[in-house]
Amino acid sequence: MGTSNTRQEIVQTIANLHEVAVISHMRPDGDAVGSTLGLGMALQALGKNVHMWIEDAVPERFAFLEGAQLVTNPPKTLPSGVECLICVDCGEPKRLGDVGRSLVETAPFTINIDHHETNTLYATMNLVQGNAAACACVLVPLLDTLAVPLTAPIATALYVAVNTDTGSFQFSSTTPEVMCLGARLIEAGVDVGDVNRRLYQELPLTSFRMQSEVLNNMMLDSGGLIVHYSLSIARRQDLHLQLQDTKDLVDIIRVLRGAKVALIFEELEDGFVRISLRSKDPAIRVNDIAAQFGGGGHPMAAGIRMRGRLTEVRHTVLQAIRTVLHSLA
Ligand SMILES: [Mn+2]
C-alpha cells in the first residue's frame, strides 16, 4: 500500500519527465479512453514523448476522438526510454490486464491518478479522489497546475470521459463542480451536439439485436427489486455478437421502475463469468457486494470476474444481493 500525494507533488514530478506512458483499464469505457487521451495529448503539448496504452482496442464509439489512433496495446516490456508509467481510471493493477499489471510491477516509477474509492494506492505516487465523478475530473485541475492550455481535442476527450462516467450528467455524482467543469470544457471548444450524437445516436445494428435479446429475456427476482440477464457463450454465438457488443447491456435493464439492482451475467470462454452490477439505491453498495467475490468498482456501478458455471455463479451472486435487500427491509 503506497502513500497519497498532493496534486502539487504529482505536477512537480510530471514536469521533469521526458518520456512517459499513460495506461488505462482493459475493456475501456469513456473515462478510460478520454482520460488516457486527454492526459496523453496534454503531455505531448508540453513537449514530452508520450505512449498511450490500453489492453483492448478503443471501442468504435470513441474512435472519433482526435488522437484515438495513438492508443495502442501495451508492449510486453517497457520501452527503455520510458521514465514513468501513469495509470488513469484504474483502481488496481489487475484491471490493466496481464500485460499492464506486469508493466506496473517492472516500471522504474509509477503514478496512479484515479477516482475509485477502493483504489489500492499501488503506485510510487498516488492521486486518488474517491468522490470525483470521473478520473477526468481529477485530471483537469492537474492540467491547470501543469499550465497546459485546454485545446479542443483535449477538452473533447475529457468531456467524453465526464459525460459517460456521469451517465450524461444524470448520476448523483453530477455536482455543481462537475457542471462547471463541463462548462469549462465546452468553452474550450467541445462541440456538444456532435459529441452526443456520436456517443448516443450512432448505435450499430448489432446493438439493436442485443437490446431486443436483453429485453426479451431479462429476469425479475425478489418481486422486481432485482432485474438481471444472462448471456451464455452459445447464445452469444447464435446472435453473432462480439464481446464488445455486450458492454452497456446493464444500462438497458437498469431503468426498470422498482428495480434497485440490475445485473448482467456473461459467460466467458476461459471458464469465468463476468458480472456487471448497477444499484439505483445509495443504501445498496454494489462495490461492497462485488468485493465479496473479488470484484470492485463504485457504490452504484461495479463489476466481478468469477470462476464457475453461469448458473452457479448467478445463484451465488443473486443470493448475496437478496441478503443485502433483506437486511434493509
Ligand atoms: Mn472512471
Side-chain angles (χ1 to χ4, degrees), residues 183-221:
R184 252 199 80 195
L185 296 174
I186 294 168
E187 266 175 356
V190 176
D191 184 337
V192 174
D194 182 63
V195 166
N196 283 295
R197 181 181 57 77
R198 290 172 182 274
L199 286 180
Y200 302 112
Q201 297 168 32
E202 296 285 346
L203 294 180
L205 190 57
T206 51
S207 170
F208 284 77
R209 297 214 173 95
M210 194 65 240
Q211 289 187 41
S212 90
E213 157 73 13
V214 171
L215 292 174
N216 279 319
N217 296 289
M218 67 183 195
M219 309 277 284
L220 300 183
D221 192 286

PDB file of all heavy atoms in Angstrom, residues 183-221:
ATOM      1  N   ALA A 183     -18.852  22.936 -18.265  1.00  0.00           N
ATOM      2  CA  ALA A 183     -18.960  24.236 -18.937  1.00  0.00           C
ATOM      3  C   ALA A 183     -17.595  24.717 -19.420  1.00  0.00           C
ATOM      4  O   ALA A 183     -17.449  25.222 -20.538  1.00  0.00           O
ATOM      5  CB  ALA A 183     -19.578  25.261 -17.983  1.00  0.00           C
ATOM      6  N   ARG A 184     -16.577  24.528 -18.588  1.00  0.00           N
ATOM      7  CA  ARG A 184     -15.224  24.946 -18.980  1.00  0.00           C
ATOM      8  C   ARG A 184     -14.749  24.199 -20.207  1.00  0.00           C
ATOM      9  O   ARG A 184     -14.118  24.749 -21.099  1.00  0.00           O
ATOM     10  CB  ARG A 184     -14.251  24.631 -17.824  1.00  0.00           C
ATOM     11  CG  ARG A 184     -13.779  25.846 -17.094  1.00  0.00           C
ATOM     12  CD  ARG A 184     -12.516  25.525 -16.322  1.00  0.00           C
ATOM     13  NE  ARG A 184     -11.343  25.535 -17.169  1.00  0.00           N
ATOM     14  CZ  ARG A 184     -10.176  25.017 -16.812  1.00  0.00           C
ATOM     15  NH1 ARG A 184     -10.046  24.444 -15.645  1.00  0.00           N
ATOM     16  NH2 ARG A 184      -9.148  25.076 -17.625  1.00  0.00           N
ATOM     17  N   LEU A 185     -15.055  22.891 -20.239  1.00  0.00           N
ATOM     18  CA  LEU A 185     -14.611  22.081 -21.383  1.00  0.00           C
ATOM     19  C   LEU A 185     -15.348  22.527 -22.649  1.00  0.00           C
ATOM     20  O   LEU A 185     -14.756  22.591 -23.735  1.00  0.00           O
ATOM     21  CB  LEU A 185     -14.844  20.595 -21.094  1.00  0.00           C
ATOM     22  CG  LEU A 185     -14.031  20.020 -19.922  1.00  0.00           C
ATOM     23  CD1 LEU A 185     -14.449  18.584 -19.619  1.00  0.00           C
ATOM     24  CD2 LEU A 185     -12.530  20.089 -20.218  1.00  0.00           C
ATOM     25  N   ILE A 186     -16.652  22.860 -22.499  1.00  0.00           N
ATOM     26  CA  ILE A 186     -17.402  23.337 -23.667  1.00  0.00           C
ATOM     27  C   ILE A 186     -16.819  24.665 -24.147  1.00  0.00           C
ATOM     28  O   ILE A 186     -16.627  24.887 -25.346  1.00  0.00           O
ATOM     29  CB  ILE A 186     -18.903  23.466 -23.317  1.00  0.00           C
ATOM     30  CG1 ILE A 186     -19.493  22.077 -23.023  1.00  0.00           C
ATOM     31  CG2 ILE A 186     -19.669  24.123 -24.474  1.00  0.00           C
ATOM     32  CD1 ILE A 186     -20.878  22.118 -22.393  1.00  0.00           C
ATOM     33  N   GLU A 187     -16.505  25.529 -23.195  1.00  0.00           N
ATOM     34  CA  GLU A 187     -15.863  26.810 -23.554  1.00  0.00           C
ATOM     35  C   GLU A 187     -14.564  26.589 -24.311  1.00  0.00           C
ATOM     36  O   GLU A 187     -14.189  27.371 -25.187  1.00  0.00           O
ATOM     37  CB  GLU A 187     -15.544  27.615 -22.279  1.00  0.00           C
ATOM     38  CG  GLU A 187     -16.614  28.611 -21.909  1.00  0.00           C
ATOM     39  CD  GLU A 187     -16.333  29.294 -20.580  1.00  0.00           C
ATOM     40  OE1 GLU A 187     -15.337  28.946 -19.895  1.00  0.00           O
ATOM     41  OE2 GLU A 187     -17.124  30.153 -20.229  1.00  0.00           O
ATOM     42  N   ALA A 188     -13.881  25.500 -23.962  1.00  0.00           N
ATOM     43  CA  ALA A 188     -12.578  25.212 -24.589  1.00  0.00           C
ATOM     44  C   ALA A 188     -12.744  24.630 -25.990  1.00  0.00           C
ATOM     45  O   ALA A 188     -11.747  24.347 -26.657  1.00  0.00           O
ATOM     46  CB  ALA A 188     -11.775  24.261 -23.700  1.00  0.00           C
ATOM     47  N   GLY A 189     -13.987  24.423 -26.424  1.00  0.00           N
ATOM     48  CA  GLY A 189     -14.163  24.050 -27.825  1.00  0.00           C
ATOM     49  C   GLY A 189     -14.884  22.742 -28.101  1.00  0.00           C
ATOM     50  O   GLY A 189     -14.902  22.274 -29.239  1.00  0.00           O
ATOM     51  N   VAL A 190     -15.492  22.126 -27.077  1.00  0.00           N
ATOM     52  CA  VAL A 190     -16.234  20.882 -27.322  1.00  0.00           C
ATOM     53  C   VAL A 190     -17.489  21.192 -28.148  1.00  0.00           C
ATOM     54  O   VAL A 190     -18.236  22.108 -27.816  1.00  0.00           O
ATOM     55  CB  VAL A 190     -16.660  20.224 -25.991  1.00  0.00           C
ATOM     56  CG1 VAL A 190     -17.514  18.983 -26.251  1.00  0.00           C
ATOM     57  CG2 VAL A 190     -15.446  19.876 -25.148  1.00  0.00           C
ATOM     58  N   ASP A 191     -17.713  20.439 -29.197  1.00  0.00           N
ATOM     59  CA  ASP A 191     -18.944  20.544 -29.987  1.00  0.00           C
ATOM     60  C   ASP A 191     -19.959  19.574 -29.365  1.00  0.00           C
ATOM     61  O   ASP A 191     -19.991  18.393 -29.693  1.00  0.00           O
ATOM     62  CB  ASP A 191     -18.654  20.184 -31.447  1.00  0.00           C
ATOM     63  CG  ASP A 191     -19.879  20.380 -32.335  1.00  0.00           C
ATOM     64  OD1 ASP A 191     -21.014  20.360 -31.813  1.00  0.00           O
ATOM     65  OD2 ASP A 191     -19.690  20.543 -33.557  1.00  0.00           O
ATOM     66  N   VAL A 192     -20.766  20.079 -28.429  1.00  0.00           N
ATOM     67  CA  VAL A 192     -21.626  19.225 -27.612  1.00  0.00           C
ATOM     68  C   VAL A 192     -22.596  18.400 -28.457  1.00  0.00           C
ATOM     69  O   VAL A 192     -22.765  17.201 -28.239  1.00  0.00           O
ATOM     70  CB  VAL A 192     -22.401  20.072 -26.577  1.00  0.00           C
ATOM     71  CG1 VAL A 192     -23.404  19.218 -25.824  1.00  0.00           C
ATOM     72  CG2 VAL A 192     -21.418  20.701 -25.597  1.00  0.00           C
ATOM     73  N   GLY A 193     -23.230  19.050 -29.423  1.00  0.00           N
ATOM     74  CA  GLY A 193     -24.198  18.341 -30.253  1.00  0.00           C
ATOM     75  C   GLY A 193     -23.546  17.211 -31.018  1.00  0.00           C
ATOM     76  O   GLY A 193     -24.066  16.085 -31.084  1.00  0.00           O
ATOM     77  N   ASP A 194     -22.394  17.497 -31.590  1.00  0.00           N
ATOM     78  CA  ASP A 194     -21.684  16.488 -32.377  1.00  0.00           C
ATOM     79  C   ASP A 194     -21.226  15.324 -31.493  1.00  0.00           C
ATOM     80  O   ASP A 194     -21.410  14.155 -31.844  1.00  0.00           O
ATOM     81  CB  ASP A 194     -20.472  17.132 -33.056  1.00  0.00           C
ATOM     82  CG  ASP A 194     -19.719  16.141 -33.921  1.00  0.00           C
ATOM     83  OD1 ASP A 194     -20.308  15.653 -34.899  1.00  0.00           O
ATOM     84  OD2 ASP A 194     -18.553  15.832 -33.592  1.00  0.00           O
ATOM     85  N   VAL A 195     -20.665  15.639 -30.332  1.00  0.00           N
ATOM     86  CA  VAL A 195     -20.173  14.589 -29.431  1.00  0.00           C
ATOM     87  C   VAL A 195     -21.322  13.696 -28.974  1.00  0.00           C
ATOM     88  O   VAL A 195     -21.226  12.463 -29.016  1.00  0.00           O
ATOM     89  CB  VAL A 195     -19.455  15.204 -28.206  1.00  0.00           C
ATOM     90  CG1 VAL A 195     -19.245  14.157 -27.123  1.00  0.00           C
ATOM     91  CG2 VAL A 195     -18.123  15.819 -28.621  1.00  0.00           C
ATOM     92  N   ASN A 196     -22.429  14.294 -28.576  1.00  0.00           N
ATOM     93  CA  ASN A 196     -23.546  13.489 -28.071  1.00  0.00           C
ATOM     94  C   ASN A 196     -24.210  12.674 -29.171  1.00  0.00           C
ATOM     95  O   ASN A 196     -24.660  11.553 -28.937  1.00  0.00           O
ATOM     96  CB  ASN A 196     -24.554  14.375 -27.339  1.00  0.00           C
ATOM     97  CG  ASN A 196     -24.052  14.734 -25.954  1.00  0.00           C
ATOM     98  OD1 ASN A 196     -23.904  13.875 -25.098  1.00  0.00           O
ATOM     99  ND2 ASN A 196     -23.720  15.997 -25.746  1.00  0.00           N
ATOM    100  N   ARG A 197     -24.253  13.227 -30.376  1.00  0.00           N
ATOM    101  CA  ARG A 197     -24.775  12.437 -31.491  1.00  0.00           C
ATOM    102  C   ARG A 197     -23.890  11.212 -31.717  1.00  0.00           C
ATOM    103  O   ARG A 197     -24.387  10.091 -31.841  1.00  0.00           O
ATOM    104  CB  ARG A 197     -24.834  13.287 -32.774  1.00  0.00           C
ATOM    105  CG  ARG A 197     -25.383  12.540 -33.973  1.00  0.00           C
ATOM    106  CD  ARG A 197     -25.401  13.399 -35.228  1.00  0.00           C
ATOM    107  NE  ARG A 197     -24.083  13.928 -35.590  1.00  0.00           N
ATOM    108  CZ  ARG A 197     -23.116  13.209 -36.175  1.00  0.00           C
ATOM    109  NH1 ARG A 197     -23.319  11.943 -36.463  1.00  0.00           N
ATOM    110  NH2 ARG A 197     -21.951  13.759 -36.458  1.00  0.00           N
ATOM    111  N   ARG A 198     -22.576  11.413 -31.725  1.00  0.00           N
ATOM    112  CA  ARG A 198     -21.659  10.286 -31.952  1.00  0.00           C
ATOM    113  C   ARG A 198     -21.717   9.266 -30.829  1.00  0.00           C
ATOM    114  O   ARG A 198     -21.593   8.061 -31.056  1.00  0.00           O
ATOM    115  CB  ARG A 198     -20.229  10.806 -32.126  1.00  0.00           C
ATOM    116  CG  ARG A 198     -20.019  11.568 -33.427  1.00  0.00           C
ATOM    117  CD  ARG A 198     -18.642  12.196 -33.411  1.00  0.00           C
ATOM    118  NE  ARG A 198     -18.364  12.992 -34.588  1.00  0.00           N
ATOM    119  CZ  ARG A 198     -17.884  12.490 -35.726  1.00  0.00           C
ATOM    120  NH1 ARG A 198     -17.670  11.199 -35.852  1.00  0.00           N
ATOM    121  NH2 ARG A 198     -17.613  13.281 -36.745  1.00  0.00           N
ATOM    122  N   LEU A 199     -21.898   9.747 -29.587  1.00  0.00           N
ATOM    123  CA  LEU A 199     -21.916   8.829 -28.443  1.00  0.00           C
ATOM    124  C   LEU A 199     -23.223   8.060 -28.336  1.00  0.00           C
ATOM    125  O   LEU A 199     -23.232   6.885 -27.968  1.00  0.00           O
ATOM    126  CB  LEU A 199     -21.711   9.601 -27.132  1.00  0.00           C
ATOM    127  CG  LEU A 199     -20.321  10.114 -26.814  1.00  0.00           C
ATOM    128  CD1 LEU A 199     -20.349  10.837 -25.467  1.00  0.00           C
ATOM    129  CD2 LEU A 199     -19.289   8.998 -26.776  1.00  0.00           C
ATOM    130  N   TYR A 200     -24.353   8.719 -28.640  1.00  0.00           N
ATOM    131  CA  TYR A 200     -25.644   8.131 -28.282  1.00  0.00           C
ATOM    132  C   TYR A 200     -26.604   7.920 -29.450  1.00  0.00           C
ATOM    133  O   TYR A 200     -27.641   7.314 -29.280  1.00  0.00           O
ATOM    134  CB  TYR A 200     -26.325   9.007 -27.218  1.00  0.00           C
ATOM    135  CG  TYR A 200     -25.482   9.164 -25.977  1.00  0.00           C
ATOM    136  CD1 TYR A 200     -24.926  10.399 -25.636  1.00  0.00           C
ATOM    137  CD2 TYR A 200     -25.197   8.064 -25.166  1.00  0.00           C
ATOM    138  CE1 TYR A 200     -24.136  10.543 -24.508  1.00  0.00           C
ATOM    139  CE2 TYR A 200     -24.416   8.199 -24.039  1.00  0.00           C
ATOM    140  CZ  TYR A 200     -23.882   9.439 -23.710  1.00  0.00           C
ATOM    141  OH  TYR A 200     -23.092   9.578 -22.608  1.00  0.00           O
ATOM    142  N   GLN A 201     -26.275   8.417 -30.616  1.00  0.00           N
ATOM    143  CA  GLN A 201     -27.229   8.317 -31.724  1.00  0.00           C
ATOM    144  C   GLN A 201     -26.631   7.651 -32.946  1.00  0.00           C
ATOM    145  O   GLN A 201     -27.059   7.897 -34.075  1.00  0.00           O
ATOM    146  CB  GLN A 201     -27.771   9.718 -32.064  1.00  0.00           C
ATOM    147  CG  GLN A 201     -28.538  10.324 -30.896  1.00  0.00           C
ATOM    148  CD  GLN A 201     -28.836  11.795 -31.080  1.00  0.00           C
ATOM    149  OE1 GLN A 201     -29.027  12.249 -32.198  1.00  0.00           O
ATOM    150  NE2 GLN A 201     -28.872  12.538 -29.997  1.00  0.00           N
ATOM    151  N   GLU A 202     -25.616   6.844 -32.725  1.00  0.00           N
ATOM    152  CA  GLU A 202     -24.966   6.155 -33.837  1.00  0.00           C
ATOM    153  C   GLU A 202     -24.735   4.693 -33.456  1.00  0.00           C
ATOM    154  O   GLU A 202     -23.635   4.165 -33.621  1.00  0.00           O
ATOM    155  CB  GLU A 202     -23.621   6.823 -34.176  1.00  0.00           C
ATOM    156  CG  GLU A 202     -23.727   8.237 -34.676  1.00  0.00           C
ATOM    157  CD  GLU A 202     -24.226   8.324 -36.112  1.00  0.00           C
ATOM    158  OE1 GLU A 202     -24.247   7.283 -36.810  1.00  0.00           O
ATOM    159  OE2 GLU A 202     -24.593   9.431 -36.534  1.00  0.00           O
ATOM    160  N   LEU A 203     -25.779   4.040 -32.933  1.00  0.00           N
ATOM    161  CA  LEU A 203     -25.609   2.656 -32.489  1.00  0.00           C
ATOM    162  C   LEU A 203     -25.617   1.713 -33.683  1.00  0.00           C
ATOM    163  O   LEU A 203     -26.463   1.846 -34.574  1.00  0.00           O
ATOM    164  CB  LEU A 203     -26.729   2.263 -31.523  1.00  0.00           C
ATOM    165  CG  LEU A 203     -26.758   2.987 -30.180  1.00  0.00           C
ATOM    166  CD1 LEU A 203     -27.923   2.469 -29.349  1.00  0.00           C
ATOM    167  CD2 LEU A 203     -25.455   2.794 -29.427  1.00  0.00           C
ATOM    168  N   PRO A 204     -24.707   0.741 -33.712  1.00  0.00           N
ATOM    169  CA  PRO A 204     -24.714  -0.228 -34.802  1.00  0.00           C
ATOM    170  C   PRO A 204     -25.901  -1.178 -34.689  1.00  0.00           C
ATOM    171  O   PRO A 204     -26.464  -1.361 -33.600  1.00  0.00           O
ATOM    172  CB  PRO A 204     -23.395  -0.982 -34.607  1.00  0.00           C
ATOM    173  CG  PRO A 204     -23.076  -0.825 -33.168  1.00  0.00           C
ATOM    174  CD  PRO A 204     -23.637   0.504 -32.744  1.00  0.00           C
ATOM    175  N   LEU A 205     -26.265  -1.795 -35.787  1.00  0.00           N
ATOM    176  CA  LEU A 205     -27.421  -2.701 -35.822  1.00  0.00           C
ATOM    177  C   LEU A 205     -27.270  -3.835 -34.807  1.00  0.00           C
ATOM    178  O   LEU A 205     -28.249  -4.261 -34.180  1.00  0.00           O
ATOM    179  CB  LEU A 205     -27.586  -3.267 -37.236  1.00  0.00           C
ATOM    180  CG  LEU A 205     -28.874  -4.033 -37.500  1.00  0.00           C
ATOM    181  CD1 LEU A 205     -30.107  -3.174 -37.219  1.00  0.00           C
ATOM    182  CD2 LEU A 205     -28.905  -4.529 -38.934  1.00  0.00           C
ATOM    183  N   THR A 206     -26.037  -4.320 -34.614  1.00  0.00           N
ATOM    184  CA  THR A 206     -25.818  -5.397 -33.645  1.00  0.00           C
ATOM    185  C   THR A 206     -26.285  -4.984 -32.251  1.00  0.00           C
ATOM    186  O   THR A 206     -26.745  -5.810 -31.473  1.00  0.00           O
ATOM    187  CB  THR A 206     -24.333  -5.784 -33.553  1.00  0.00           C
ATOM    188  OG1 THR A 206     -23.571  -4.595 -33.342  1.00  0.00           O
ATOM    189  CG2 THR A 206     -23.866  -6.495 -34.798  1.00  0.00           C
ATOM    190  N   SER A 207     -26.171  -3.708 -31.959  1.00  0.00           N
ATOM    191  CA  SER A 207     -26.578  -3.215 -30.655  1.00  0.00           C
ATOM    192  C   SER A 207     -28.095  -3.328 -30.485  1.00  0.00           C
ATOM    193  O   SER A 207     -28.584  -3.667 -29.400  1.00  0.00           O
ATOM    194  CB  SER A 207     -26.124  -1.762 -30.510  1.00  0.00           C
ATOM    195  OG  SER A 207     -26.701  -1.199 -29.374  1.00  0.00           O
ATOM    196  N   PHE A 208     -28.835  -3.095 -31.567  1.00  0.00           N
ATOM    197  CA  PHE A 208     -30.302  -3.254 -31.504  1.00  0.00           C
ATOM    198  C   PHE A 208     -30.670  -4.720 -31.291  1.00  0.00           C
ATOM    199  O   PHE A 208     -31.570  -5.042 -30.532  1.00  0.00           O
ATOM    200  CB  PHE A 208     -30.945  -2.739 -32.797  1.00  0.00           C
ATOM    201  CG  PHE A 208     -30.992  -1.237 -32.873  1.00  0.00           C
ATOM    202  CD1 PHE A 208     -29.862  -0.511 -33.188  1.00  0.00           C
ATOM    203  CD2 PHE A 208     -32.164  -0.564 -32.596  1.00  0.00           C
ATOM    204  CE1 PHE A 208     -29.902   0.865 -33.232  1.00  0.00           C
ATOM    205  CE2 PHE A 208     -32.217   0.822 -32.640  1.00  0.00           C
ATOM    206  CZ  PHE A 208     -31.072   1.545 -32.968  1.00  0.00           C
ATOM    207  N   ARG A 209     -29.958  -5.615 -31.993  1.00  0.00           N
ATOM    208  CA  ARG A 209     -30.237  -7.049 -31.820  1.00  0.00           C
ATOM    209  C   ARG A 209     -29.993  -7.448 -30.370  1.00  0.00           C
ATOM    210  O   ARG A 209     -30.749  -8.212 -29.779  1.00  0.00           O
ATOM    211  CB  ARG A 209     -29.326  -7.865 -32.741  1.00  0.00           C
ATOM    212  CG  ARG A 209     -29.583  -7.588 -34.210  1.00  0.00           C
ATOM    213  CD  ARG A 209     -29.393  -8.822 -35.072  1.00  0.00           C
ATOM    214  NE  ARG A 209     -29.811  -8.524 -36.432  1.00  0.00           N
ATOM    215  CZ  ARG A 209     -28.978  -8.132 -37.401  1.00  0.00           C
ATOM    216  NH1 ARG A 209     -27.691  -8.031 -37.162  1.00  0.00           N
ATOM    217  NH2 ARG A 209     -29.438  -7.849 -38.603  1.00  0.00           N
ATOM    218  N   MET A 210     -28.913  -6.904 -29.814  1.00  0.00           N
ATOM    219  CA  MET A 210     -28.569  -7.229 -28.429  1.00  0.00           C
ATOM    220  C   MET A 210     -29.623  -6.675 -27.482  1.00  0.00           C
ATOM    221  O   MET A 210     -30.053  -7.351 -26.547  1.00  0.00           O
ATOM    222  CB  MET A 210     -27.190  -6.634 -28.119  1.00  0.00           C
ATOM    223  CG  MET A 210     -26.559  -7.166 -26.860  1.00  0.00           C
ATOM    224  SD  MET A 210     -26.159  -8.900 -26.948  1.00  0.00           S
ATOM    225  CE  MET A 210     -27.140  -9.535 -25.590  1.00  0.00           C
ATOM    226  N   GLN A 211     -30.054  -5.449 -27.729  1.00  0.00           N
ATOM    227  CA  GLN A 211     -31.064  -4.836 -26.855  1.00  0.00           C
ATOM    228  C   GLN A 211     -32.362  -5.636 -26.874  1.00  0.00           C
ATOM    229  O   GLN A 211     -32.982  -5.852 -25.830  1.00  0.00           O
ATOM    230  CB  GLN A 211     -31.338  -3.394 -27.295  1.00  0.00           C
ATOM    231  CG  GLN A 211     -30.197  -2.454 -26.995  1.00  0.00           C
ATOM    232  CD  GLN A 211     -30.547  -1.001 -27.285  1.00  0.00           C
ATOM    233  OE1 GLN A 211     -31.641  -0.552 -26.993  1.00  0.00           O
ATOM    234  NE2 GLN A 211     -29.606  -0.289 -27.864  1.00  0.00           N
ATOM    235  N   SER A 212     -32.781  -6.080 -28.052  1.00  0.00           N
ATOM    236  CA  SER A 212     -34.039  -6.828 -28.111  1.00  0.00           C
ATOM    237  C   SER A 212     -33.882  -8.171 -27.412  1.00  0.00           C
ATOM    238  O   SER A 212     -34.788  -8.641 -26.729  1.00  0.00           O
ATOM    239  CB  SER A 212     -34.512  -6.964 -29.563  1.00  0.00           C
ATOM    240  OG  SER A 212     -34.001  -8.111 -30.151  1.00  0.00           O
ATOM    241  N   GLU A 213     -32.709  -8.781 -27.544  1.00  0.00           N
ATOM    242  CA  GLU A 213     -32.428 -10.034 -26.835  1.00  0.00           C
ATOM    243  C   GLU A 213     -32.542  -9.828 -25.316  1.00  0.00           C
ATOM    244  O   GLU A 213     -33.169 -10.624 -24.608  1.00  0.00           O
ATOM    245  CB  GLU A 213     -31.016 -10.514 -27.217  1.00  0.00           C
ATOM    246  CG  GLU A 213     -30.324 -11.448 -26.237  1.00  0.00           C
ATOM    247  CD  GLU A 213     -30.887 -12.863 -26.226  1.00  0.00           C
ATOM    248  OE1 GLU A 213     -31.655 -13.210 -27.147  1.00  0.00           O
ATOM    249  OE2 GLU A 213     -30.562 -13.605 -25.283  1.00  0.00           O
ATOM    250  N   VAL A 214     -31.933  -8.757 -24.815  1.00  0.00           N
ATOM    251  CA  VAL A 214     -31.937  -8.495 -23.373  1.00  0.00           C
ATOM    252  C   VAL A 214     -33.355  -8.215 -22.880  1.00  0.00           C
ATOM    253  O   VAL A 214     -33.800  -8.764 -21.870  1.00  0.00           O
ATOM    254  CB  VAL A 214     -31.000  -7.314 -23.041  1.00  0.00           C
ATOM    255  CG1 VAL A 214     -31.160  -6.900 -21.579  1.00  0.00           C
ATOM    256  CG2 VAL A 214     -29.553  -7.688 -23.324  1.00  0.00           C
ATOM    257  N   LEU A 215     -34.093  -7.397 -23.613  1.00  0.00           N
ATOM    258  CA  LEU A 215     -35.450  -7.039 -23.182  1.00  0.00           C
ATOM    259  C   LEU A 215     -36.376  -8.251 -23.215  1.00  0.00           C
ATOM    260  O   LEU A 215     -37.268  -8.375 -22.382  1.00  0.00           O
ATOM    261  CB  LEU A 215     -35.996  -5.914 -24.070  1.00  0.00           C
ATOM    262  CG  LEU A 215     -35.274  -4.576 -23.893  1.00  0.00           C
ATOM    263  CD1 LEU A 215     -35.766  -3.565 -24.916  1.00  0.00           C
ATOM    264  CD2 LEU A 215     -35.460  -4.029 -22.481  1.00  0.00           C
ATOM    265  N   ASN A 216     -36.152  -9.150 -24.157  1.00  0.00           N
ATOM    266  CA  ASN A 216     -36.998 -10.335 -24.260  1.00  0.00           C
ATOM    267  C   ASN A 216     -36.673 -11.392 -23.205  1.00  0.00           C
ATOM    268  O   ASN A 216     -37.494 -12.256 -22.927  1.00  0.00           O
ATOM    269  CB  ASN A 216     -36.866 -10.970 -25.648  1.00  0.00           C
ATOM    270  CG  ASN A 216     -37.716 -10.249 -26.672  1.00  0.00           C
ATOM    271  OD1 ASN A 216     -38.848  -9.878 -26.385  1.00  0.00           O
ATOM    272  ND2 ASN A 216     -37.164 -10.030 -27.853  1.00  0.00           N
ATOM    273  N   ASN A 217     -35.478 -11.363 -22.666  1.00  0.00           N
ATOM    274  CA  ASN A 217     -35.030 -12.465 -21.811  1.00  0.00           C
ATOM    275  C   ASN A 217     -34.581 -12.051 -20.418  1.00  0.00           C
ATOM    276  O   ASN A 217     -34.020 -12.854 -19.689  1.00  0.00           O
ATOM    277  CB  ASN A 217     -33.894 -13.213 -22.512  1.00  0.00           C
ATOM    278  CG  ASN A 217     -34.370 -13.869 -23.787  1.00  0.00           C
ATOM    279  OD1 ASN A 217     -35.104 -14.836 -23.752  1.00  0.00           O
ATOM    280  ND2 ASN A 217     -33.981 -13.315 -24.927  1.00  0.00           N
ATOM    281  N   MET A 218     -34.804 -10.802 -20.057  1.00  0.00           N
ATOM    282  CA  MET A 218     -34.419 -10.382 -18.709  1.00  0.00           C
ATOM    283  C   MET A 218     -35.311 -11.090 -17.683  1.00  0.00           C
ATOM    284  O   MET A 218     -36.426 -11.490 -17.979  1.00  0.00           O
ATOM    285  CB  MET A 218     -34.543  -8.866 -18.565  1.00  0.00           C
ATOM    286  CG  MET A 218     -35.953  -8.360 -18.643  1.00  0.00           C
ATOM    287  SD  MET A 218     -35.969  -6.565 -18.539  1.00  0.00           S
ATOM    288  CE  MET A 218     -37.708  -6.304 -18.184  1.00  0.00           C
ATOM    289  N   MET A 219     -34.773 -11.234 -16.466  1.00  0.00           N
ATOM    290  CA  MET A 219     -35.476 -11.960 -15.406  1.00  0.00           C
ATOM    291  C   MET A 219     -35.665 -11.019 -14.213  1.00  0.00           C
ATOM    292  O   MET A 219     -34.808 -10.193 -13.929  1.00  0.00           O
ATOM    293  CB  MET A 219     -34.647 -13.159 -14.934  1.00  0.00           C
ATOM    294  CG  MET A 219     -34.163 -14.067 -16.032  1.00  0.00           C
ATOM    295  SD  MET A 219     -35.419 -15.242 -16.524  1.00  0.00           S
ATOM    296  CE  MET A 219     -35.325 -16.377 -15.135  1.00  0.00           C
ATOM    297  N   LEU A 220     -36.766 -11.206 -13.526  1.00  0.00           N
ATOM    298  CA  LEU A 220     -37.007 -10.455 -12.296  1.00  0.00           C
ATOM    299  C   LEU A 220     -36.817 -11.371 -11.097  1.00  0.00           C
ATOM    300  O   LEU A 220     -37.088 -12.570 -11.160  1.00  0.00           O
ATOM    301  CB  LEU A 220     -38.423  -9.875 -12.277  1.00  0.00           C
ATOM    302  CG  LEU A 220     -38.752  -8.914 -13.408  1.00  0.00           C
ATOM    303  CD1 LEU A 220     -40.156  -8.349 -13.235  1.00  0.00           C
ATOM    304  CD2 LEU A 220     -37.738  -7.782 -13.477  1.00  0.00           C
ATOM    305  N   ASP A 221     -36.356 -10.788 -10.013  1.00  0.00           N
ATOM    306  CA  ASP A 221     -36.104 -11.542  -8.787  1.00  0.00           C
ATOM    307  C   ASP A 221     -36.535 -10.667  -7.618  1.00  0.00           C
ATOM    308  O   ASP A 221     -36.551  -9.442  -7.738  1.00  0.00           O
ATOM    309  CB  ASP A 221     -34.591 -11.857  -8.711  1.00  0.00           C
ATOM    310  CG  ASP A 221     -34.265 -12.867  -7.641  1.00  0.00           C
ATOM    311  OD1 ASP A 221     -34.303 -12.503  -6.454  1.00  0.00           O
ATOM    312  OD2 ASP A 221     -33.982 -14.024  -7.982  1.00  0.00           O
TER     313      ASP A 221
END
